[in-house]
Amino acid sequence: MEENTVGRFAPSPSGRMHLGNVFCALMAWLAARAEGGRMLLRVEDLDQERCPRKYADLLEEDLLWLGLSWEEGGSRGGRHGPYYQSERTAVYQSCLEQLQGMGLVYPCFCSRAELHAAQAPHLSDGRVLYSGRCRRLTPEERAALAAQRRPAIRLMVPEETVAFTDLCYGEYRENLQQECGDFLIRRSDGVFAYQLAVTADDALMGVTQVVRGRDLLSSTPRQLYLYRLLGLRPPVFGHIPLLLAPDGRRLSKRDGDLDLGALRLRFTPEQLLGKLAFAGGLLEREEPVTAEELIPLFSWEKLPRQDIRLPAGLWG
Ligand code: GLU
């Protein structure tokens, strides 16, 4: 048993928690607790307009209602605080300066429209592979553009494949240049990008195990590259299948009947956890269960690799 496991919840509370977030929080919590580990809550509110504090507060209340406790972070604070990304700009700035010192970042003046209009390959998740246009600007061209627009900042990636072993999906690899492209470190509005913030925070907060949706699997090679550049020790990663609506769509904030405001009126925490644990393969039949009772039942082998389609009517 690993004694020093530190897992985390890292939600971006742009609304009330929905079932997909609960599934992810439950699995992250179980994976850490099954190793006797601690949990930390970091609020990913980089986009402050979309993530007002009231949702972060509600999220804490929802986690506690579910019985998903944490020892550090959120409004509880702790020795690695602050735990709200909106308050950690100085940390990200110092990471950026480290990368600047290595000569690995450059300003990018491309607008969103230009990025999409470029004949660049689109990746499987819909992202556009950045053409590297602004990497090749001359100092004069850079100065001329800088007088007109505030640039974003990108990190140059080498022609290199980054591989790691995911706790759920096994071996995963991506070629940084061909599959990721030079990626954003800071947006043109000055907000630091997710990839940099999450890497700096997980490392500096002492997180050893990252459990999150498999939609972020393809972010991990970029993050591992950042860990290396910044001289930080990476955690282990476990990506989990996504919950889908009965028609196969990804759950979203539009599915208001599946947010915790609505679900808490209809179910007890034990009923809800029982449904999710059954969907996640931890229970053989659907029955009410507490989060604590699920700890000994958790194992990575039981989790399905396919996304989980919620049966129609299950929640009705
Ligand atoms: N804040 C991200 C989200 O809510 C998750 C980031 C992560 O787990 O790395 O989608």
Side-chain angles (χ1 to χ4, degrees), residues 95-105 185 196 226 229-230:
C95 292
L96 170 60
E97 283 163 17
Q98 220 179 313
L99 298 171
Q100 269 163 339
M102 292 184 259
L104 291 176
V105 296
I185 292 292
L196 180 75
L226 279 171
L229 293 179
L230 296 170

Side-chain angles (χ1 to χ4, degrees), residues 44 94 145:
E44 302 215 322
S94 90
L145 284 163

Side-chain angles (χ1 to χ4, degrees), residues 8 10-12 21 42 44 194 198 202 210-213 215-216 223:
R8 45 75 147 182
S12 301
N21 309 131
R42 179 178 64 247
E44 302 215 322
Y194 159 71
V198 78
D202 280 332
V210 167
V211 176
R212 59 188 177 193
D215 51 331
L216 290 169
Q223 291 169 18

Side-chain angles (χ1 to χ4, degrees), residues 8 48 54 86 90 93 107 120 147 182 184 204 215-216 259 266:
R8 45 75 147 182
Q48 262 184 294
K54 70 169 188 206
S86 57
Q93 183 62 33
D182 292 351
L184 285 181
L204 299 176
D215 51 331
L216 290 169
D259 82 26
R266 291 161 59 201

Side-chain angles (χ1 to χ4, degrees), residues 63-80:
L63 287 172
L64 294 173
W65 179 81
L66 289 158
L68 303 178
S69 52
W70 65 99
E71 284 66 44
E72 183 184 336
S75 64
R76 273 183 102 112
R79 68 193 172 96
H80 299 103

Side-chain angles (χ1 to χ4, degrees), residues 3-114:
E3 295 242 317
N4 301 320
T5 297
V6 181
R8 45 75 147 182
F9 303 119
S12 301
S14 59
R16 192 79 184 250
M17 229 182 162
H18 66 72
L19 206 58
N21 309 131
V22 178
F23 184 66
C24 189
L26 173 64
M27 294 304 158
W29 188 87
L30 289 174
R33 297 302 193 210
E35 294 188 356
R38 295 188 297 119
M39 278 305 275
L40 173 156
L41 168 62
R42 179 178 64 247
V43 178
E44 302 215 322
D45 59 352
L46 283 171
D47 200 332
Q48 262 184 294
E49 267 166 39
R50 286 185 55 233
C51 300
R53 187 61 62 96
K54 70 169 188 206
Y55 288 130
D57 294 343
L58 262 176
L59 177 119
E60 291 199 3
E61 205 203 288
D62 286 337
L63 287 172
L64 294 173
W65 179 81
L66 289 158
L68 303 178
S69 52
W70 65 99
E71 284 66 44
E72 183 184 336
S75 64
R76 273 183 102 112
R79 68 193 172 96
H80 299 103
Y83 293 90
Y84 296 82
Q85 288 190 326
S86 57
E87 296 171 8
R88 297 179 60 79
T89 307
V91 173
Y92 312 140
Q93 183 62 33
S94 90
C95 292
L96 170 60
E97 283 163 17
Q98 220 179 313
L99 298 171
Q100 269 163 339
M102 292 184 259
L104 291 176
V105 296
Y106 61 89
C108 174
F109 299 92
C110 296
S111 66
R112 190 179 289 249
E114 282 164 345

Side-chain angles (χ1 to χ4, degrees), residues 68-246:
L68 303 178
S69 52
W70 65 99
E71 284 66 44
E72 183 184 336
S75 64
R76 273 183 102 112
R79 68 193 172 96
H80 299 103
Y83 293 90
Y84 296 82
Q85 288 190 326
S86 57
E87 296 171 8
R88 297 179 60 79
T89 307
V91 173
Y92 312 140
Q93 183 62 33
S94 90
C95 292
L96 170 60
E97 283 163 17
Q98 220 179 313
L99 298 171
Q100 269 163 339
M102 292 184 259
L104 291 176
V105 296
Y106 61 89
C108 174
F109 299 92
C110 296
S111 66
R112 190 179 289 249
E114 282 164 345
L115 291 174
H116 280 271
Q119 295 296 312
H122 286 249
L123 301 170
S124 55
D125 61 4
R127 274 182 302 127
V128 178
L129 191 63
Y130 183 58
S131 65
R133 187 169 86 150
C134 289
R135 195 207 260 226
R136 296 185 290 268
L137 294 176
T138 63
E140 295 73 34
E141 288 169 325
R142 239 169 230 172
L145 284 163
Q148 295 163 24
R149 284 189 200 165
R150 188 164 175 201
I153 297 179
R154 280 185 193 272
L155 179 73
M156 277 180 222
V157 298
E159 171 62 44
E160 183 188 317
T161 296
V162 174
F164 73 102
T165 306
D166 187 78
L167 292 169
C168 187
Y169 289 95
E171 291 300 310
Y172 185 80
R173 60 183 61 234
E174 264 185 27
N175 181 288
L176 290 175
Q177 223 165 71
Q178 290 161 29
E179 294 172 272
C180 304
D182 292 351
F183 61 89
L184 285 181
I185 292 292
R186 203 177 70 189
R187 302 187 333 202
S188 60
D189 61 4
V191 175
F192 281 93
Y194 159 71
Q195 307 292 358
L196 180 75
V198 78
T199 302
D201 289 347
D202 280 332
L204 299 176
M205 292 179 180
V207 169
T208 67
Q209 184 189 63
V210 167
V211 176
R212 59 188 177 193
R214 65 129 195 93
D215 51 331
L216 290 169
L217 187 58
S218 71
S219 282
T220 307
R222 278 171 279 173
Q223 291 169 18
L224 285 168
Y225 181 56
L226 279 171
Y227 277 100
R228 173 147 42 98
L229 293 179
L230 296 170
L232 300 169
R233 197 167 140 199
V236 292
F237 292 91
H239 292 82
I240 59 168
L242 303 177
L243 286 191
L244 305 177

